[in-house]
Each structure stands twice: as C-alpha cells, then as structure tokens.
Amino acid sequence: MFSWLASIAAACWGPVRKYARMRKDEDEDDALLWSRDLGRHSAGEFSIAVVQANEVLEDHSQVETGPNATFVGVYDGHGGPDASRFISDHLFLHLMRLAQENGTISEDVVRNAFSATEDGFLAHVRRTHQIKPLIAAIGSCCLVGVIWKGTLYVANVGDSRAIIGCLGKSNNIIAEQLTRDHNASVEEVRQELRSLHPDDSHIVVLKHGVWRIKGIIQVSRSIGDAYLKKPEFSIDPSVQRFRLSEPLRRPVLTAEPSIHARVLCPQDKFLIFASDGLWEHLTNQEAAEIVYNYPRAGIARRLVRAALQEAARKREMRYVDLKKVEKGIRRFFHDDITVVVIFIDHELLLGSDASVPELSIRGFIDAAGPSNFSVLDNI
C-alpha cells in the first residue's frame, strides 16, 4: 500500500504553486493550502483556511463582517463547483434582503434565504440544462452561521458541521455539536428516509460498504441535485453514475435546512464551521481542544494541518510527502477542506464596534471586498 501511494506522490511532486492564490507562512510548503490567519468581526476575531484536493475546488466559503453582525458560510459542492459558487454569490444577499423586508433576522428569515437560493439555482439549471445536462447532478451542502444582537443562528443542509466550544466547570473545553449531519451513514437519517418513502425499498442502499440514497448520493439534503428532486431534470440513463433504478416519482432530496438558534452566553468561547473533509479525520472534541490550546492566529490552518496529518497517517505515508501531491490525485488522500473559526469575546458581543470594517472574505481567494451589512443598520 505505502509503495503504491508513494509512487503516486512522487509522480506529482512537480511545482503546483500556480494553482492557487494564497497567503502563507514562509515555512509552509503546501501549495494547495490557503489561509487568512486572523481577522476581526463584530464579536471578536476569526480565522479561515482552505485546502484543495479536487482537480477543481468544490468548496466555496465566505465570512462577512460588519459593526453589528457576523455571517459565515461553508458550501461543500459535489459534482462540480457550480452550486457552491452560486450559493456563495447569492445566499447572503438573499438573507440581507429578507432581513430588511422583515425588520429582523430570525429562523424564518434564514430558512427563506435557503429557499430563495435553492429556487434560484434550480432556475439556473432549468435555463442551462439543455446545453449542460450534467448541471442537474451538481449540488452542494450548505452551512451558515449568523451572529446578530447576541444570538447565534446556525442552519445547514448536508453534512458540513458546526460545533461550539464551551468552557466547563473545571475550565476544560467541551465540544457541543450544533448541526445535524444529513447523511445516509447516520441510522436516524436512514429511518427518516424510509418513513418518508415507505413504498420505495431502494430509497437507501448499501453500496460498496457505504449507505447511499437511491444508491447514488450520501447526503439527504442539499442545494441543487435537481435530478433527484424534479423529474424534468432526469439525466440520460447512459450516464451510469446517475442511473436511477426507476423513474423519479417524487423528490428524494430536500433543501429544507435544520436550524438552531442560541443566545450566546459567557461560557461559549468559539465556533468551528467546517466541511466534512475536516470531520472525516478529527472528532468534535479533538478539534475543540486544538482551538482551545493554541494561539488564535492561524488556528484554522492548524486544524486543516491536523486533519492532513491524520489523513497521511491513515494512508501510511509521511505528511511532508502528502503536501507535495498535486490537486486531483490529492483527492485519493483527502477531500477539499474548509474551516472557519469564530472566537466570541463577550465584552464585544452586545455592543457596536464601528471600527470593524464591512468586509466580504471569500475562501481561497486572496482578496476582500465590501460587504452588504449596512442594510441592518436601522433594524
């Protein structure tokens, strides 16, 4: 096993820096790793990091900062980057529009922002389906966090995950999961699918040791994946990967998010938002302890590095060798990984800090533009 992996790695050690625009420490030689080590948001500081594994990066992400609110989005695409990129371009704008129309941010506002984004992407699929049929098989998990007026709203479809690090009575850190993994590997999800589709014996199928919906996809909720939601987007049956055993009679996936609202308290110290590429290699508690025990600057990059080290160990290779493997082939070792860490400083949480700029930071792109948080100023 090791010799085979080592030969792949050796073949791919050519220069790959041209593939990513990034900011890195001088001692960091992973050309596919990007990070923004520390920035400010309305209630503290944040750190973000992304590592690419696929030939085309399918993870998209953003942090939106302003004097009175903070927004985090992690979008883990599958089948291509179209859906995750679309979410990054539209969901936050929908949220701001709906917040302005309703005069508040609430669970319903967040839910409706997901719905508007789903409707928009399906309309895009409808416009382009004839010239790009496989766009109907492109989708994305979607994980969103909003901090506004001392309350945290977390919403997700798919298996990206958010956890909160809380200080225990003995000054130990306790990881609490805020989201539900919408993945067929979870028994509760399989039971839910079977109860929703009692007449479909193939709604979940164990295929090559992995539970999949209709034998095709693991996540039970997503933005996109139109061919598993609407019969009009069925894909040519000659494409084996997306072949349904029978015509689609009703949607087998949904874009309905799970939403969690929480008033932040002094024991809540930080949040970790990450695509499932991180959670494949680190437990919730392991990730929380890393954040708690190391300096803030570069902490998202440290979490990504810990996951990569574990991925290398599982493949019986050295981490130093894994870092030299090129995109595309890198996917044999780990997935695209996005991590955003949000630190919560409670003295800032309920007060406005006008010195926090309105910025939009996009993961893996070394640029920050103006955000659109000003629409909340009069709410």
Side-chain angles (χ1 to χ4, degrees), residues 1-6 9 13 30 51 277-278 280-282 303-325 330-335 337:
M1 171 67 77
F2 176 78
S3 60
W4 174 75
L5 295 173
W13 284 359
D30 188 344
V51 66
L278 181 79
E280 287 176 5
H281 302 295
L282 297 181
L303 283 171
V304 169
R305 185 184 298 135
L308 297 181
Q309 289 171 334
E310 179 61 16
R313 186 196 66 78
K314 290 175 180 176
R315 292 291 193 153
E316 299 181 345
M317 70 185 299
R318 298 184 305 165
Y319 172 55
V320 67
D321 293 339
L322 175 62
K323 292 191 293 182
K324 298 172 183 176
V325 178
R330 189 78 162 257
R331 186 61 181 89
F332 288 102
F333 303 90
H334 65 84
D335 198 356
I337 302 174

Coordinates of all heavy atoms in Angstrom, one line a residue, residues 1-6 9 13 30 51 277-278 280-282 303-325 330-335 337:
M1 N 0.8 -1.2 0.0 CA 0.0 0.0 0.0 C 0.9 1.3 0.0 O 0.7 2.2 -0.8 CB -0.9 0.0 1.2 CG -1.7 1.3 1.4 SD -2.9 1.7 0.2 CE -4.2 0.5 0.7
F2 N 1.9 1.3 0.9 CA 2.7 2.5 1.0 C 3.5 2.8 -0.3 O 3.6 3.9 -0.7 CB 3.6 2.4 2.2 CG 4.6 3.6 2.3 CD1 4.1 4.8 2.8 CD2 5.9 3.5 1.8 CE1 4.9 5.9 2.8 CE2 6.7 4.6 1.8 CZ 6.2 5.8 2.4
S3 N 4.0 1.7 -0.9 CA 4.8 1.9 -2.1 C 4.0 2.4 -3.2 O 4.4 3.3 -4.0 CB 5.5 0.5 -2.5 OG 4.5 -0.4 -2.8
W4 N 2.7 1.9 -3.3 CA 1.8 2.4 -4.4 C 1.5 3.9 -4.2 O 1.6 4.7 -5.1 CB 0.5 1.6 -4.4 CG -0.5 2.2 -5.3 CD1 -0.5 2.0 -6.7 CD2 -1.7 2.9 -5.0 NE1 -1.6 2.7 -7.2 CE2 -2.3 3.2 -6.2 CE3 -2.2 3.3 -3.8 CZ2 -3.5 3.9 -6.2 CZ3 -3.4 4.0 -3.8 CH2 -4.0 4.3 -5.0
L5 N 1.2 4.3 -2.9 CA 0.9 5.7 -2.6 C 2.1 6.6 -2.8 O 2.0 7.7 -3.3 CB 0.4 5.8 -1.2 CG -1.0 5.1 -0.9 CD1 -1.3 5.1 0.5 CD2 -2.1 5.8 -1.7
A6 N 3.2 6.0 -2.4 CA 4.5 6.8 -2.5 C 4.8 7.1 -4.0 O 5.3 8.2 -4.3 CB 5.6 6.1 -1.8
A9 N 2.6 9.8 -5.2 CA 3.1 11.1 -4.6 C 4.3 11.6 -5.4 O 4.4 12.8 -5.7 CB 3.4 11.0 -3.1
W13 N 5.1 15.5 -7.6 CA 5.8 16.5 -6.8 C 6.2 17.7 -7.6 O 7.0 18.5 -7.1 CB 7.0 15.8 -6.2 CG 6.7 14.9 -5.0 CD1 5.5 14.7 -4.5 CD2 7.6 14.1 -4.3 NE1 5.5 13.8 -3.5 CE2 6.8 13.4 -3.3 CE3 9.0 13.9 -4.3 CZ2 7.4 12.6 -2.4 CZ3 9.5 13.1 -3.3 CH2 8.8 12.4 -2.4
D30 N 2.8 23.7 1.4 CA 1.7 23.1 0.8 C 1.0 24.1 -0.2 O 0.3 25.0 0.3 CB 0.7 22.6 1.8 CG -0.4 21.7 1.2 OD1 -0.6 21.8 0.0 OD2 -1.1 21.0 2.0
V51 N -8.0 24.0 2.1 CA -7.0 23.2 1.3 C -7.8 22.5 0.2 O -8.9 21.9 0.4 CB -6.3 22.2 2.2 CG1 -7.2 21.1 2.7 CG2 -5.1 21.6 1.4
G277 N -14.8 17.3 5.1 CA -13.4 16.9 5.0 C -12.6 17.0 6.3 O -11.7 16.2 6.5
L278 N -13.0 18.0 7.1 CA -12.3 18.0 8.5 C -12.8 16.9 9.4 O -12.0 16.3 10.0 CB -12.6 19.4 9.1 CG -11.9 19.6 10.5 CD1 -10.4 19.9 10.3 CD2 -12.6 20.7 11.3
E280 N -14.0 14.1 8.8 CA -13.6 12.7 8.5 C -12.3 12.3 9.2 O -12.1 11.1 9.4 CB -13.3 12.6 7.0 CG -14.5 12.7 6.1 CD -14.2 12.7 4.6 OE1 -13.0 12.6 4.3 OE2 -15.1 12.8 3.8
H281 N -11.6 13.3 9.7 CA -10.3 13.0 10.3 C -10.2 13.4 11.8 O -9.3 13.0 12.5 CB -9.2 13.6 9.5 CG -9.2 13.1 8.1 ND1 -8.9 11.8 7.7 CD2 -9.4 13.8 6.9 CE1 -9.0 11.7 6.4 NE2 -9.3 12.9 5.9
L282 N -11.0 14.4 12.2 CA -11.0 14.8 13.6 C -12.3 14.7 14.2 O -13.3 15.0 13.6 CB -10.5 16.3 13.6 CG -9.1 16.7 13.1 CD1 -8.9 18.2 13.3 CD2 -8.0 15.9 13.9
L303 N -6.0 23.5 12.3 CA -6.9 22.5 12.2 C -6.8 21.7 10.9 O -6.9 20.5 10.9 CB -8.3 23.0 12.4 CG -8.8 23.4 13.8 CD1 -10.1 24.2 13.8 CD2 -8.9 22.2 14.7
V304 N -6.7 22.4 9.8 CA -6.5 21.8 8.5 C -5.3 20.9 8.5 O -5.3 19.8 8.0 CB -6.5 22.8 7.4 CG1 -6.0 22.2 6.1 CG2 -7.8 23.5 7.2
R305 N -4.2 21.4 9.0 CA -3.0 20.6 9.1 C -3.1 19.4 9.9 O -2.6 18.3 9.6 CB -1.8 21.5 9.6 CG -0.5 20.8 9.6 CD 0.6 21.7 10.2 NE 0.8 22.9 9.5 CZ 0.9 24.1 10.1 NH1 0.8 24.2 11.5 NH2 1.0 25.2 9.4
A306 N -3.8 19.5 11.0 CA -4.1 18.3 11.9 C -4.9 17.2 11.1 O -4.6 16.0 11.2 CB -4.8 18.7 13.2
A307 N -5.9 17.7 10.3 CA -6.6 16.7 9.5 C -5.7 16.1 8.4 O -5.8 14.9 8.2 CB -7.8 17.4 8.9
L308 N -4.9 16.9 7.8 CA -4.0 16.3 6.8 C -3.0 15.4 7.4 O -2.7 14.3 6.8 CB -3.3 17.5 6.1 CG -4.1 18.5 5.3 CD1 -3.3 19.5 4.6 CD2 -5.0 17.8 4.3
Q309 N -2.5 15.7 8.6 CA -1.6 14.7 9.2 C -2.2 13.4 9.5 O -1.7 12.3 9.3 CB -1.0 15.4 10.5 CG -0.1 16.5 10.3 CD 0.3 17.3 11.5 OE1 -0.5 17.3 12.5 NE2 1.4 17.9 11.6
E310 N -3.5 13.5 9.9 CA -4.2 12.2 10.2 C -4.5 11.5 8.9 O -4.5 10.2 8.8 CB -5.5 12.6 10.9 CG -6.4 11.4 11.2 CD -5.8 10.3 12.1 OE1 -4.7 10.6 12.8 OE2 -6.3 9.2 12.2
A311 N -4.9 12.2 7.8 CA -5.1 11.6 6.5 C -3.8 10.9 6.0 O -3.9 9.8 5.5 CB -5.5 12.6 5.5
A312 N -2.7 11.5 6.2 CA -1.4 10.9 5.8 C -1.2 9.6 6.7 O -0.7 8.6 6.1 CB -0.3 11.9 6.0
R313 N -1.4 9.7 8.0 CA -1.2 8.6 8.8 C -2.0 7.4 8.4 O -1.6 6.2 8.4 CB -1.5 8.9 10.3 CG -1.1 7.8 11.3 CD -1.8 8.1 12.6 NE -3.3 8.0 12.6 CZ -3.9 6.9 12.5 NH1 -3.3 5.7 12.5 NH2 -5.3 6.9 12.5
K314 N -3.3 7.6 8.1 CA -4.2 6.6 7.7 C -3.7 5.9 6.4 O -4.0 4.7 6.2 CB -5.6 7.1 7.4 CG -6.3 7.5 8.7 CD -7.7 8.2 8.4 CE -8.4 8.6 9.6 NZ -9.7 9.3 9.3
R315 N -3.0 6.6 5.5 CA -2.5 6.1 4.3 C -1.1 5.6 4.4 O -0.4 5.3 3.4 CB -2.6 7.1 3.2 CG -4.0 7.5 2.8 CD -4.7 6.4 2.1 NE -5.9 6.8 1.4 CZ -6.5 6.2 0.4 NH1 -5.8 5.2 -0.2 NH2 -7.6 6.7 -0.1
E316 N -0.6 5.6 5.6 CA 0.8 5.1 5.9 C 1.8 5.8 5.1 O 2.7 5.2 4.5 CB 0.9 3.6 5.6 CG 0.0 2.7 6.5 CD 0.1 1.3 6.2 OE1 0.6 0.9 5.2 OE2 -0.4 0.5 7.1
M317 N 1.7 7.1 5.0 CA 2.7 8.0 4.4 C 3.0 9.1 5.3 O 2.3 9.4 6.3 CB 2.2 8.4 3.0 CG 1.0 9.5 3.1 SD 0.3 9.9 1.4 CE 1.8 10.6 0.6
R318 N 4.1 9.8 4.9 CA 4.5 11.0 5.7 C 3.7 12.2 5.3 O 3.4 12.4 4.1 CB 6.0 11.2 5.5 CG 6.9 10.1 6.0 CD 8.4 10.5 5.8 NE 8.7 10.9 4.4 CZ 9.8 11.6 4.1 NH1 10.7 11.9 5.0 NH2 10.0 11.9 2.8
Y319 N 3.4 13.1 6.3 CA 2.7 14.3 6.0 C 3.5 15.2 5.0 O 3.0 15.8 4.1 CB 2.5 15.0 7.3 CG 1.9 16.5 7.2 CD1 0.8 16.7 6.4 CD2 2.5 17.5 7.8 CE1 0.3 18.0 6.3 CE2 2.0 18.8 7.7 CZ 0.9 19.0 6.9 OH 0.4 20.3 6.8
V320 N 4.8 15.2 5.2 CA 5.7 16.0 4.3 C 5.5 15.6 2.8 O 5.6 16.4 1.9 CB 7.2 16.0 4.7 CG1 7.7 14.6 4.5 CG2 8.0 17.0 4.0
D321 N 5.2 14.3 2.6 CA 5.0 13.8 1.3 C 3.6 14.1 0.7 O 3.5 14.4 -0.4 CB 5.3 12.3 1.2 CG 6.7 11.9 1.4 OD1 7.6 12.8 1.3 OD2 7.0 10.7 1.8
L322 N 2.6 14.0 1.6 CA 1.3 14.3 1.2 C 1.2 15.8 0.7 O 0.5 16.1 -0.3 CB 0.3 14.2 2.4 CG -1.1 14.6 2.2 CD1 -1.8 13.7 1.1 CD2 -1.9 14.4 3.5
K323 N 1.9 16.7 1.3 CA 1.8 18.1 1.0 C 2.3 18.3 -0.5 O 2.0 19.4 -1.0 CB 2.6 19.0 2.0 CG 2.0 19.0 3.3 CD 2.7 20.1 4.2 CE 4.1 19.7 4.5 NZ 4.7 20.7 5.4
K324 N 3.1 17.4 -1.0 CA 3.6 17.6 -2.3 C 2.8 16.9 -3.4 O 3.1 17.0 -4.6 CB 5.0 17.0 -2.4 CG 6.0 17.7 -1.4 CD 7.3 17.0 -1.3 CE 8.2 17.6 -0.3 NZ 9.5 16.9 -0.2
V325 N 1.7 16.3 -3.0 CA 0.8 15.7 -4.0 C -0.1 16.7 -4.7 O -0.6 17.6 -4.0 CB -0.1 14.6 -3.3 CG1 -1.0 13.9 -4.4 CG2 0.8 13.5 -2.7
R330 N -4.7 14.3 -5.3 CA -4.8 14.6 -3.9 C -6.1 14.1 -3.3 O -6.2 13.7 -2.1 CB -4.7 16.1 -3.6 CG -4.5 16.6 -2.2 CD -3.1 16.4 -1.6 NE -3.0 17.2 -0.5 CZ -2.3 18.4 -0.4 NH1 -1.7 18.8 -1.5 NH2 -2.2 19.0 0.7
R331 N -7.1 14.0 -4.2 CA -8.4 13.5 -3.7 C -8.4 12.1 -3.2 O -9.3 11.6 -2.5 CB -9.5 13.7 -4.8 CG -10.9 13.4 -4.4 CD -11.3 14.3 -3.3 NE -12.7 14.1 -2.8 CZ -13.0 13.2 -1.8 NH1 -12.1 12.5 -1.3 NH2 -14.2 13.0 -1.5
F332 N -7.4 11.3 -3.7 CA -7.3 9.9 -3.2 C -6.9 9.9 -1.7 O -7.1 8.8 -1.0 CB -6.2 9.1 -4.0 CG -6.6 8.8 -5.4 CD1 -6.1 9.5 -6.4 CD2 -7.5 7.7 -5.6 CE1 -6.5 9.2 -7.7 CE2 -7.9 7.4 -6.9 CZ -7.4 8.2 -8.0
F333 N -6.5 11.0 -1.2 CA -6.0 11.0 0.2 C -6.9 11.8 1.2 O -7.0 11.4 2.3 CB -4.6 11.7 0.2 CG -3.6 11.0 -0.6 CD1 -3.4 11.3 -2.0 CD2 -2.8 9.9 -0.1 CE1 -2.5 10.7 -2.8 CE2 -1.9 9.3 -0.9 CZ -1.7 9.7 -2.3
H334 N -7.5 12.9 0.7 CA -8.5 13.6 1.5 C -9.3 14.5 0.6 O -9.1 14.6 -0.6 CB -7.7 14.5 2.5 CG -6.9 15.6 1.9 ND1 -7.4 16.8 1.5 CD2 -5.6 15.7 1.5 CE1 -6.5 17.6 1.0 NE2 -5.3 16.9 1.0
D335 N -10.4 15.0 1.1 CA -11.4 15.8 0.4 C -10.9 17.3 0.5 O -10.0 17.6 1.2 CB -12.7 15.7 1.1 CG -13.9 16.2 0.2 OD1 -13.6 16.7 -0.9 OD2 -15.0 16.0 0.6
I337 N -11.1 20.7 2.1 CA -11.4 21.0 3.5 C -11.5 22.5 3.7 O -10.5 23.3 3.3 CB -10.3 20.5 4.4 CG1 -10.2 18.9 4.3 CG2 -10.7 20.8 5.9 CD1 -9.1 18.3 5.1

